[in-house]
Amino acid sequence: MFRFEIITCYNLSMPVFVKDANKCVGCLICMFACGRAHLATGLESSCIKVRSQGGISRGFSVFVCRGCEDPPCARVCPEDALVVRKGGGVLLKEDKCTGCGHCVKACILDAIGWNNGKNKPVICIQCGECAKSCHYKVLEYKRT
Amino acid sequence: MIKEDTLKKVLYIDLSKKKFWIEERDDLFSQFIGGTGVAIKLLHENCKYDTDPLSSDNPIIISIGPLNGLFPIASKTVALFKSPHTGNLGESHAGGRSAIAIRMAGYGAIVIKGKSERPCYIAIHGDRVYFKDATTLWGLEEGVSAASLIRRQESGAGLRTIMRIGPAGEKMITYACVTLETYRHFGRLGLGAVFGSKNLKAVVVSGKRDLKVNDFKGYKECYSNLLKQLAESDKMKKYHELGTPANVMPLSFSKGIPMKNLTISELEGLENISGESFAEKHLGRRVACSHCPVACIHLGALRKPYEDEPYFYRTVYLSYDYELIYALGTMLGVASPEGVLRLIEVVEDMGLDAISTGVVLAWSTEAFEKGLINEKMTEGVIPQWGDVDAYSQLINKIVFSEGEFFKDLGKGIDYASSKYGGKEFALTYGKNEMPGYHTGYGAHIGYLFGARHSHLDSAGYAIDKEAMIKSFDEEQFAEKIITEEYWRQILSSLVICFFGREIYTPQIILQCLKLTGFDLDEKRLTEIGKEIYAEKYRFKIKCGFDVDNIELPQRIFELPSGTGKLNKDFAEKIIGKLKEKIKSLL
Ligand code: SF4
Ligand code: SF4
Ligand code: SF4
């Protein structure tokens, strides 16, 4: 299993990072918070992901955008629909996006969501809502 | 209901014809909200009253409500069916990922009818429904888990629910459960046997969607307020920390926790199986149902040596809570946490309802002591208080033995005691085995008349707790029991976990409902609760339930309860009042 938090520890500029996935109870509260951050209710417009590590007794992994400074998702986008943000991460220009899905494959953290209704990716807006709503301090939000 | 809401969609699945279709039932949802309210209407529509519970005609109704997927701790799913255990209304609730998965798949209810020719499982991924062969998942040997095989086959990881049965369900033990996400259950009243009778091994549901609310800003405010309360309120603390086992010690001080089939009120070493002791020595992880920040599910780690191989161990995680510590601990005189966890493991492996199993074993132990049953019947295993090995073997035999006695035990103790004697100490209520509260009139009469004969119907122990400091007359007891049960119909139509009931006040519920397009007031809400309850009773009575012909077990009058020794005449008076109230509704 890919242990995401180990890598993110080195990047001190990212806004949200997984501090201790061992404390995750799998409540999905962060996923719902992410949906609301994308002005929606439900899970279709959420990009953060929580998955059990092959059975609940083994605990959970959390996949969240680390706000790369040189983001591969933006690099592979053939339509220039992903614009690199100052301070890391990307912004989605929805009108330019054709829904090809290259960005999703390029993010090896699996931190991009997919909205089937719109056929467009769901991109982290680095808002920290997920971390703020987690009762168990699994995630930490640092404003840069 | 909001016009675009997919909640109104009812998915019908016919296992005999391998067909499915969807009906839009705005009528039901706008009138009865969802969850248990809609399910009881669907049960009336789809189940003939004289249906044999284990025949293909018995439908399984699975339903959720408007708050699921929108508000925190609205995390439960309701299942209704005709119970093979009691022969009338079967109702069971479960959490896990189920409620959110069904909501995200775009349904408010699922009705499963018919019987598959061969073992099968159903996979529902949004609007796609698949009938899958499960012949290789049937009768699996110990150590192979059907759920993990299904996990590999199906999509939707992280957001899906997998509801499945174990050997007990396949063998149609009338108190077989359905297990979800390894640690959650439709526990009581035998839904597992109904699955088994349909050759249905499992149901997988997954989906993903956005939902609608009326006022997004108002929704966000309401949501954050709820989330804050769930995190900070003292009302939630007990579920956060020790979980429900926090009740073991307080209830033992008041003599409210039943021990050894209600023959004693003190158990040596009880403190070893307290919530505190479990947390200290065994708590390995805490997990939550989807969309619930409380995470009351406590997993205890049990380290088990391999008998044939030194220095080889495996660690299993088992979810423990108050009811299990009662049923497989105090009730059986087992006062070690390892012993309780070992019995939980067997019960989980078999896929049985833990409460009924514990009470069945307790009755068997006393019946054996009294000479009503003998070693020949039990195939050489002697049930003895505290003997974990013997109890493990007996549980296995209930499921696998072909012997007559075990076949009878597999139908519960109402059945077994009518054949072998020992009715006076058979702790059953309307044919369902006793939950873990010997607290007083509220608890016992609540079990007897509750629509599902469970402690969750009216939480009589809470009424008894009040009765410790105030004295209630028969009218007050009866009124408290029935009004609590009315209100719980609303909670389980939304469907909110009962642990959140103190946060979800009527005002908050009305606010949430308004955001989801239900314009109701408190008076109407109470009326709906009452109407749902009445509908349940109508179903029960049409199935042959006779309010004038049920009794409290004699044993409960012999051992002092949490509120002192119970008086039969006074109990009768409360029962009289309650019957009047029930009859006036019908
Ligand atoms: S920071 Fe905001 S957008 Fe990014 S995962 Fe968290 S909630 Fe979603
Ligand atoms: S909110 Fe926290 S505990 Fe809950 S799933 Fe997300 S990271 Fe895990
Ligand atoms: S309180 Fe417990 S049972 Fe209720 S929804 Fe939360 S985790 Fe599930």
Side-chain angles (χ1 to χ4, degrees):
Chain A
M1 179 57 61
F2 185 79
R3 296 309 292 254
F4 165 71
E5 63 276 17
I6 297 172
I7 291 191
T8 52
C9 297
Y10 299 111
N11 183 343
L12 294 174
S13 72
M14 76 269 149
V16 175
F17 69 100
V18 181
K19 212 173 148 201
D20 186 0
N22 272 314
K23 278 163 82 188
C24 177
V25 298
C27 64
L28 313 188
I29 289 288
C30 54
M31 292 185 67
F32 283 98
C34 185
R36 290 194 304 284
H38 289 91
L39 306 180
T41 58
L43 295 173
E44 183 80 306
S45 306
S46 178
C47 54
I48 187 168
K49 299 184 190 81
V50 179
R51 284 207 194 113
S52 79
Q53 301 190 357
I56 288 167
S57 57
R58 301 211 178 102
F60 299 90
S61 302
V62 186
F63 305 88
V64 63
C65 173
R66 63 173 289 208
C68 303
E69 278 166 28
D70 180 14
C73 54
R75 263 185 277 139
V76 300
C77 176
E79 310 294 337
D80 287 330
L82 292 171
V83 184
V84 182
R85 254 169 123 254
K86 230 178 106 208
V90 290
L91 290 167
L92 174 67
K93 299 267 174 227
E94 226 174 75
D95 48 337
K96 283 192 177 174
C97 170
T98 57
C100 71
H102 287 355
C103 53
V104 174
K105 293 196 194 96
C107 174
I108 70 164
L109 294 185
D110 200 5
I112 296 180
W114 194 261
N115 186 318
N116 287 312
K118 289 189 188 164
N119 197 39
K120 301 256 156 90
V122 185
I123 301 287
C124 175
I125 55 172
Q126 322 286 341
C127 65
E129 287 302 321
C130 51
K132 282 183 237 164
S133 65
C134 172
H135 282 193
Y136 299 95
K137 301 196 175 68
V138 171
L139 304 161
E140 194 164 284
Y141 177 57
K142 278 197 201 139
R143 203 178 283 279
T144 44
Chain B
M1 197 179 6
I2 293 173
K3 211 166 149 267
E4 301 86 347
D5 198 337
T6 49
L7 186 71
K8 59 176 171 286
K9 289 194 184 175
V10 178
L11 172 64
Y12 286 84
I13 297 173
D14 185 330
L15 288 169
S16 308
K17 301 197 181 107
K18 300 272 186 294
K19 275 199 176 140
F20 70 92
W21 65 97
I22 291 165
E23 288 177 18
E24 301 213 342
R25 299 300 302 269
D26 318 46
D27 58 322
L28 287 188
F29 284 91
S30 49
Q31 231 188 318
F32 295 97
I33 304 172
T36 208
V38 165
I40 186 62
K41 291 305 268 187
L42 287 170
L43 190 65
H44 274 287
E45 284 178 15
N46 289 284
C47 182
K48 289 209 196 81
Y49 304 112
D50 60 356
T51 296
D52 170 357
L54 294 176
S55 74
S56 62
D57 293 335
N58 190 10
I60 299 167
I61 322 276
I62 297 172
S63 63
I64 56 160
L67 267 49
N68 295 116
L70 285 173
F71 294 97
I73 210 171
S75 52
K76 293 274 162 158
T77 303
V78 170
L80 256 63
F81 47 97
K82 194 169 173 188
S83 164
H85 197 53
T86 63
N88 64 67
L89 178 66
E91 173 171 0
S92 198
H93 300 179
R97 302 236 173 281
S98 60
I100 304 306
I102 296 169
R103 190 78 161 116
M104 291 292 120
Y107 304 104
I110 302 169
V111 178
I112 304 171
K113 311 203 227 194
K115 175 182 177 173
S116 172
E117 198 187 328
R118 291 205 171 78
C120 78
Y121 77 88
I122 307 170
I124 303 165
H125 298 296
D127 49 15
R128 291 162 300 141
V129 178
Y130 304 90
F131 296 91
K132 305 259 180 129
D133 188 275
T135 34
T136 36
L137 301 177
W138 208 262
L140 280 178
E141 298 289 312
E142 225 185 302
V144 193
S145 130
S148 70
L149 293 170
I150 293 172
R151 273 205 293 270
R152 284 219 305 263
Q153 290 295 320
E154 298 296 329
S155 61
L159 301 178
R160 67 190 167 196
T161 185
I162 302 178
M163 314 173 178
R164 44 104 185 159
I165 57 168
E170 293 175 9
K171 302 245 179 219
M172 292 181 264
I173 306 302
T174 64
Y175 43 98
C177 72
V178 172
T179 306
L180 303 85
E181 286 65 89
T182 320
Y183 299 115
R184 302 279 85 189
H185 312 87
F186 287 116
R188 308 226 65 192
L189 298 173
L191 182 60
V194 181
F195 267 53
S197 73
K198 296 186 168 321
N199 271 330
L200 178 61
K201 181 71 187 175
V203 178
V204 184
V205 188
S206 82
K208 197 158 78 72
R209 69 180 54 243
D210 283 335
L211 303 166
K212 287 235 155 40
V213 286
N214 274 334
D215 156 19
F216 188 68
K217 196 166 158 263
Y219 166 70
K220 275 183 40 172
E221 274 164 27
C222 177
Y223 191 107
S224 16
N225 167 37
L226 282 164
L227 202 60
K228 192 164 178 264
Q229 284 200 57
L230 285 166
E232 291 167 12
S233 163
D234 274 347
K235 294 170 191 152
M236 300 312 298
K237 222 173 157 176
K238 54 182 181 248
Y239 305 117
H240 274 298
E241 294 176 350
L242 297 177
T244 55
N247 289 332
V248 172
M249 289 322 280
L251 276 167
S252 81
F253 292 137
S254 65
K255 309 202 187 311
I257 179 167
M259 295 167 175
K260 297 192 186 170
N261 210 37
L262 277 192
T263 51
I264 51 160
S265 3
E266 258 169 65
L267 186 66
E268 203 183 320
L270 181 86
E271 61 287 353
N272 297 325
I273 54 170
S274 65
E276 291 78 1
S277 159
F278 265 96
E280 206 174 292
K281 300 201 191 93
H282 291 278
L283 181 56
R285 190 179 282 290
R286 271 176 51 204
V287 295
C289 298
S290 288
H291 215 173
C292 170
V294 176
C296 77
I297 308 164
H298 287 57
L299 303 185
L302 177 67
R303 198 168 88 128
K304 298 181 70 175
Y306 280 84
E307 271 145 31
D308 47 358
E309 196 98 41
Y311 299 106
F312 261 92
Y313 290 87
R314 64 192 177 101
T315 301
V316 286
Y317 286 90
L318 298 154
S319 82
Y320 63 87
D321 68 16
Y322 174 79
E323 292 296 335
L324 300 195
I325 295 176
Y326 143 70
L328 302 172
T330 60
M331 197 60 162
L332 299 178
V334 173
S336 79
E338 294 79 12
V340 174
L341 288 171
R342 276 176 56 206
L343 289 175
I344 294 176
E345 188 185 20
V346 186
V347 166
E348 289 278 24
D349 285 349
M350 294 298 125
L352 284 164
D353 171 35
I355 300 181
S356 284
T357 306
V359 180
V360 164
L361 293 174
W363 175 85
S364 308
T365 310
E366 191 169 342
F368 196 95
E369 280 179 349
K370 293 202 155 67
L372 299 175
I373 55 176
N374 58 42
E375 225 177 304
K376 204 163 147 240
M377 295 170 178
T378 60
E379 298 171 7
V381 188
I382 300 175
Q384 261 184 103
W385 303 122
D387 188 341
V388 174
D389 287 331
Y391 288 134
S392 303
Q393 288 177 44
L394 291 168
I395 298 170
N396 263 287
K397 284 187 183 290
I398 289 174
V399 177
F400 291 114
S401 167
E402 292 298 323
E404 190 186 341
F405 174 68
F406 288 106
K407 287 259 168 262
D408 294 335
L409 272 194
K411 298 189 173 93
I413 53 171
D414 182 78
Y415 184 87
S417 65
S418 58
K419 186 160 165 184
Y420 300 93
K423 263 234 138 61
E424 340 63 84
F425 58 87
L427 293 163
T428 110
Y429 301 76
K431 302 191 184 162
N432 197 22
E433 284 75 15
M434 180 188 180
Y437 305 88
H438 178 44
T439 50
Y441 301 103
H444 289 291
I445 295 170
Y447 310 150
L448 191 62
F449 285 93
R452 46 185 173 138
H453 306 290
S454 145
H455 58 298
L456 297 166
D457 285 319
S458 54
Y461 46 86
I463 302 170
D464 292 332
K465 201 170 163 191
E466 270 187 87
M468 281 176 161
I469 36 177
K470 274 183 252 167
S471 83
F472 296 139
D473 63 19
E474 60 268 26
E475 168 61 28
Q476 285 166 314
F477 262 116
E479 186 61 21
K480 277 182 181 290
I481 292 171
I482 205 163
T483 43
E484 181 65 25
E485 193 160 350
Y486 294 159
W487 179 243
R488 288 184 171 223
Q489 306 310 317
I490 296 298
L491 298 175
S492 48
S493 295
L494 293 167
V495 177
I496 296 168
C497 174
F498 287 160
F499 292 165
R501 68 183 176 278
E502 291 184 63
I503 307 279
Y504 276 87
T505 58
Q507 286 67 34
I508 291 195
I509 288 176
L510 288 170
Q511 194 189 348
C512 296
L513 278 170
K514 188 147 191 225
L515 288 161
T516 53
F518 289 80
D519 227 337
L520 301 168
D521 57 28
E522 199 170 336
K523 187 163 158 268
R524 182 70 199 120
L525 211 53
T526 322
E527 279 165 15
I528 296 175
K530 211 166 167 175
E531 181 52 24
I532 296 170
Y533 175 82
E535 276 295 287
K536 288 186 179 174
Y537 248 94
R538 282 178 204 124
F539 183 86
K540 284 172 83 79
I541 286 171
K542 286 189 175 140
C543 291
F545 184 76
D546 180 1
V547 279
D548 292 317
N549 210 4
I550 46 171
E551 276 185 350
L552 288 169
Q554 178 54 35
R555 171 59 51 83
I556 67 163
F557 297 106
E558 290 160 11
L559 188 82
S561 75
T563 42
K565 201 151 178 192
L566 302 178
N567 176 303
K568 209 166 179 177
D569 294 335
F570 186 59
E572 283 305 329
K573 280 190 188 157
I574 303 174
I575 289 174
K577 288 279 176 202
L578 201 52
K579 277 196 218 165
E580 270 171 35
K581 289 179 197 285
I582 292 169
K583 285 179 184 165
S584 75
L585 284 172
L586 301 172

